[in-house]
Amino acid sequence: MAEEKTNAEVETTTEATQQAVETPQQDPQEFLENFNWEKYEQGIERVDDSKLKEFEDLVAENFVDTADEEVVEGKVVYITDREAIIDINAKSEGVISLNEFRYNPGLKVGDKVEVLIDIREDKSGQLVLSHRKARTIMAWDRVNAAHDKEEIVSGFVKCRTKGGMIVDVFGIEAFLPGSQIDVKPIRDYDQYVNKTMEFKVVKINHEFKNVVVSHKALIEADIEEQKKEIISQLEKGQVLEGVVKNITSYGVFIDLGGVDGLVHITDLSWSRINHPNEVVELDQKLNVVILDFDENKSRIQLGLKQLEKHPWEALSDEIKIGDKVKGKVVVIADYGAFIEVVEGVEGLIHVSEMSWSTHLRSAQDFVNVGDEVEAVVLTLDREDRKMSLGIKQLTPDPWTDITTKYPVGSKHKGIVRNFTNFGVFVELEEGIDGLIYISDLSWTKKIKHPSEFTNVGDTLEVEVLELDVEGRKLSLGHKQTTENPWDKYETEFALGTVHAATISDVVDKGATIEFNDDITAFIPQRHLEKEDGKKLGKGDEAEFKIIEFNKDFKRVVASHTAIFREEEQRNVKAAVKRQAASADEAKPTLGDANDALQALKDKMEADSKKK
């Protein structure tokens, strides 16, 4: 009876066990909680081997071995302020600090995440998991796969570093260069910190495990599609909206939605500007017109001022030649100054129209940039949009009564304004310039260049020598204001006069002596010989005789040799005369000659007999 009861109990137990084994197929967790392991271990409850094998397979399929360090997938079942509760189908749920999910601030219940079992049981018996370690294990394979397949990855910008940003991608710290953040220049890097963004893996260094990502590459891919579409629709004269992308000294780059165009500085405004930032600013939205582009439409020339009416077209019809206008000096060149009469309309005042003076100077001597000036309209061409102005026309022409103010022979004072190789320009008053030829500077000095005699800015006394009213030319002289010293020197240093002086210089062909500040005489080489046959040298003092004096050419030639040579010649002539006189006295008569001849004949005959 007891045996039957036992068999019955066993059957009942087996049937219960079978039902219990079948239950996990529906809810393994419930089966584990209700299964009586103690009876099973004591053999009170027996389980069929086939059913037990089925149970073991079911457990292996549904439950995680917490001793295994493989990465497993878990499910977020609850989120607290600090932790996320993850179910990995183990005996208990695990916990992970939310700090490990900073890259994914959108984490929510139900999300599946990869985890690694960090601690099977902590002090409180809690299963501790690690998402960071799991990501690190899987990250390198994922990064390589993303690079090879050119996939888009999500990353969390952790912080800013030198030259770029540090991005958490799959748990790996990747580098995001500053140039790869956006297609446009970034001025504030901090705005991207603690943000999750999409990236493309552009470079991997397998040796050093370095990863470089780019957000710009994703933008460029989108822009490239937009660019193709925009370029295909471009036409000259088309007006488009763009954003100021970059400002340079020569122009402004405009982003037309993926395509960049350049507005040159001359096409920004009808008025003259010094720098584009006077008209536009970064990130400003504005309309521009397409002026031109190359065959590939890669270089697009844009215009901003062309959207407005040309200022010349709006210029009042009342302005005509001879009218007085006011304007501001906007540009100065050597040849003149540009005056903005109205915005976008400029006139040129040539330097010759700034003063009545025929001696031209730089425009900077008369006006400065920013000056408000009044001028007279000299020419006006509305078709070619050109206007010439004059300032000197506002004052009377000083040449009107020139013959009265500066008659020939009148003496005046003027200021040295300029030099030429042949003379000096002297300004008598504003608009009245005269020329002093180099030969009219001094009576006595031999001047090679005017700078040897005077300086720019010096005041000179002048005399009007010639006056050409039609040609507006005035010939002046400076030496004419003083007496010509050569008139008195002509008498003092007349031919044959003798003067004492010292040799001041010796040259190849002779030497020079200075009689005074005005007279410098030349002594030819042969006239340097002294009475003893030697020659005078530099510093030797002697007497010199004037052998040439030319007042017109200011030439004086002297000789030392001539002094004693002349005495010698006089002595020679006297000796010759004396010799001639003696000869005349000793001249023989005819009788004396006959006696001499007879004596000679007798001597010859006597000699002949002796032989």
Side-chain angles (χ1 to χ4, degrees):
M1 191 66 180
E3 185 178 350
E4 290 179 0
K5 184 178 180 180
T6 301
N7 291 336
E9 289 176 354
V10 170
E11 289 178 2
T12 302
T13 303
T14 301
E15 185 177 1
T17 303
Q18 183 176 354
Q19 291 177 355
V21 172
E22 292 175 354
T23 302
Q25 294 179 356
Q26 297 176 355
D27 190 351
Q29 187 66 30
E30 183 180 351
F31 171 79
L32 289 175
E33 292 176 354
N34 297 331
F35 188 74
N36 192 334
W37 292 94
E38 185 178 356
K39 290 184 178 181
Y40 173 74
E41 290 175 355
Q42 293 178 359
I44 298 175
E45 294 185 355
R46 294 184 56 192
V47 181
D48 185 78
D49 291 341
S50 62
K51 296 297 181 181
L52 187 59
K53 180 65 170 65
E54 183 179 351
F55 170 72
E56 291 174 352
D57 292 341
L58 192 62
V59 171
E61 180 181 350
N62 288 279
F63 291 92
V64 174
D65 183 2
T66 57
D68 193 352
E69 293 185 356
E70 290 184 1
V71 176
V72 298
E73 186 177 71
K75 182 178 181 182
V76 179
V77 294
Y78 188 71
I79 297 178
T80 68
D81 293 339
R82 296 183 179 181
E83 298 173 329
I85 309 302
I86 310 297
D87 179 15
I88 61 170
N89 285 336
K91 289 192 294 182
S92 62
E93 289 84 359
V95 294
I96 298 178
S97 172
L98 287 180
N99 287 334
E100 298 190 22
F101 294 98
R102 289 181 60 192
Y103 75 95
N104 183 15
L107 183 70
K108 60 183 182 299
V109 174
D111 287 352
K112 292 185 178 180
V113 294
E114 293 173 338
V115 297
L116 179 72
I117 300 171
D118 198 7
I119 302 175
R120 285 185 292 174
E121 288 186 3
D122 60 7
K123 294 180 180 180
S124 59
Q126 181 68 54
L127 176 64
V128 180
L129 306 176
S130 174
H131 177 61
R132 183 184 293 111
K133 292 181 179 179
R135 291 183 70 216
T136 301
I137 293 173
M138 302 297 294
W140 189 247
D141 293 336
R142 287 184 176 180
V143 167
N144 279 277
H147 178 263
D148 296 339
K149 298 178 182 179
E150 296 185 355
E151 294 177 348
I152 298 174
V153 299
S154 179
F156 177 75
V157 181
K158 297 178 65 176
C159 62
R160 177 180 175 178
T161 188
K162 183 178 180 181
M165 317 287 286
I166 299 299
V167 181
D168 185 327
V169 179
F170 303 134
I172 292 178
E173 288 190 347
F175 179 60
L176 172 63
S179 61
Q180 296 298 314
I181 297 176
D182 205 334
V183 291
K184 59 183 179 181
I186 302 300
R187 292 181 289 276
D188 181 16
Y189 284 75
D190 294 333
Q191 62 179 313
Y192 297 97
V193 177
N194 295 328
K195 286 188 177 181
T196 300
M197 301 169 60
E198 291 185 333
F199 303 96
K200 189 173 182 180
V201 181
V202 294
K203 185 178 181 181
I204 296 178
N205 187 317
H206 293 275
E207 181 179 358
F208 297 102
K209 301 289 185 180
N210 291 336
V211 179
V212 179
V213 295
S214 171
H215 181 68
K216 177 182 176 181
L218 301 179
I219 301 175
E220 287 178 335
D222 295 336
I223 289 177
E224 192 62 32
E225 294 298 324
Q226 298 176 15
K227 186 175 180 180
K228 292 179 181 178
E229 183 178 352
I230 293 173
I231 287 179
S232 64
Q233 300 175 359
L234 289 181
E235 294 180 3
K236 292 182 182 180
Q238 185 178 9
V239 178
L240 299 173
E241 184 182 61
V243 178
V244 177
K245 180 179 180 181
N246 191 19
I247 299 177
T248 68
S249 59
Y250 56 86
V252 178
F253 287 94
I254 306 296
D255 183 359
L256 301 174
V259 180
D260 290 348
L262 172 65
V263 182
H264 194 268
I265 186 171
T266 57
D267 291 316
L268 283 171
S269 173
W270 292 114
S271 299
R272 196 184 296 264
I273 60 174
N274 296 318
H275 196 277
N277 57 21
E278 298 176 18
V279 180
V280 298
E281 58 185 18
L282 284 175
D283 299 327
Q284 178 182 347
K285 289 185 179 180
L286 43 77
N287 290 329
V288 290
V289 61
I290 298 177
L291 302 180
D292 200 2
F293 46 73
D294 58 10
E295 294 181 358
N296 300 325
K297 298 182 179 180
S298 58
R299 297 172 64 92
I300 305 172
Q301 182 181 346
L302 305 174
L304 181 62
K305 71 180 185 181
Q306 287 78 4
L307 296 175
E308 300 177 356
K309 190 176 182 180
H310 198 289
W312 271 89
E313 298 175 6
L315 185 65
S316 174
D317 295 333
E318 296 180 358
I319 297 179
K320 58 184 182 299
I321 294 175
D323 288 350
K324 294 180 181 179
V325 294
K326 291 184 178 180
K328 183 173 69 174
V329 179
V330 290
V331 172
I332 293 180
D334 289 338
Y335 55 85
F338 288 92
I339 312 298
E340 188 175 52
V341 178
V342 297
E343 187 176 357
V345 177
E346 296 176 2
L348 171 65
I349 303 179
H350 193 271
V351 68
S352 61
E353 302 298 340
M354 292 183 174
S355 170
W356 287 110
S357 175
T358 55
H359 169 58
L360 300 183
R361 285 176 276 169
S362 172
Q364 293 179 346
D365 295 335
F366 300 96
V367 294
N368 297 309
V369 173
D371 287 353
E372 293 285 342
V373 298
E374 186 178 27
V376 176
V377 179
L378 303 181
T379 64
L380 181 62
D381 190 338
R382 294 179 182 271
E383 291 185 2
D384 290 340
R385 296 170 178 170
K386 292 182 179 180
M387 180 190 303
S388 64
L389 307 172
I391 295 179
K392 70 182 185 182
Q393 288 77 9
L394 297 172
T395 58
D397 185 353
W399 280 81
T400 303
D401 57 349
I402 188 71
T403 54
T404 304
K405 297 172 70 174
Y406 302 101
V408 174
S410 61
K411 292 181 173 59
H412 310 274
K413 288 185 177 181
I415 299 175
V416 177
R417 290 300 185 190
N418 195 16
F419 294 147
T420 67
N421 290 329
F422 52 84
V424 180
F425 282 101
V426 176
E427 184 182 59
L428 299 180
E429 65 173 86
E430 183 70 27
I432 303 295
D433 289 349
L435 174 64
I436 304 176
Y437 282 99
I438 197 169
S439 59
D440 289 320
L441 286 172
S442 174
W443 290 112
T444 57
K445 293 182 179 180
K446 293 181 179 180
I447 303 170
K448 295 181 180 180
H449 191 273
S451 60
E452 300 174 7
F453 184 82
T454 186
N455 299 308
V456 173
D458 287 353
T459 300
L460 287 181
E461 289 189 3
V462 295
E463 181 179 319
V464 179
L465 304 180
E466 294 180 13
L467 179 59
D468 182 357
V469 178
E470 293 182 0
R472 302 174 77 91
K473 293 182 180 179
L474 200 60
S475 178
L476 306 174
H478 173 66
K479 71 181 183 181
Q480 288 79 3
T481 61
T482 60
E483 183 181 355
N484 186 354
W486 284 85
D487 291 338
K488 69 173 184 177
Y489 292 150
E490 189 175 16
T491 302
E492 184 180 349
F493 296 93
L495 288 176
T497 58
V498 177
H499 307 271
T502 303
I503 302 291
S504 58
D505 197 10
V506 176
V507 294
D508 292 340
K509 294 183 179 181
T512 59
I513 56 175
E514 296 179 356
F515 290 126
N516 55 38
D517 292 339
D518 297 328
I519 301 294
T520 299
F522 176 71
I523 300 92
Q525 190 74 250
R526 67 179 183 276
H527 290 278
L528 289 170
E529 185 177 345
K530 295 189 291 185
E531 195 171 358
D532 59 2
K534 296 181 180 180
K535 289 189 176 182
L536 293 171
K538 185 176 180 179
D540 291 344
E541 185 176 356
E543 290 186 335
F544 298 90
K545 185 177 183 179
I546 304 301
I547 60 176
E548 181 182 347
F549 184 91
N550 190 318
K551 182 178 70 172
D552 295 331
F553 293 99
K554 301 179 181 64
R555 176 179 170 84
V556 178
V557 181
S559 171
H560 172 69
T561 305
I563 293 176
F564 64 83
R565 285 275 172 86
E566 186 176 290
E567 185 66 30
E568 288 179 354
Q569 289 176 358
R570 282 198 301 267
N571 294 335
V572 169
K573 287 180 180 180
V576 169
K577 288 180 179 180
R578 285 195 301 271
Q579 290 175 0
S582 299
D584 288 341
E585 292 177 359
K587 187 177 182 180
T589 62
L590 182 60
D592 295 336
N594 289 334
D595 292 341
L597 290 172
Q598 185 61 44
L600 180 61
K601 182 178 179 181
D602 293 343
K603 185 180 180 181
M604 291 176 65
E605 289 178 353
D607 292 338
S608 174
K609 289 179 179 180
K610 289 180 180 181
K611 292 180 178 180

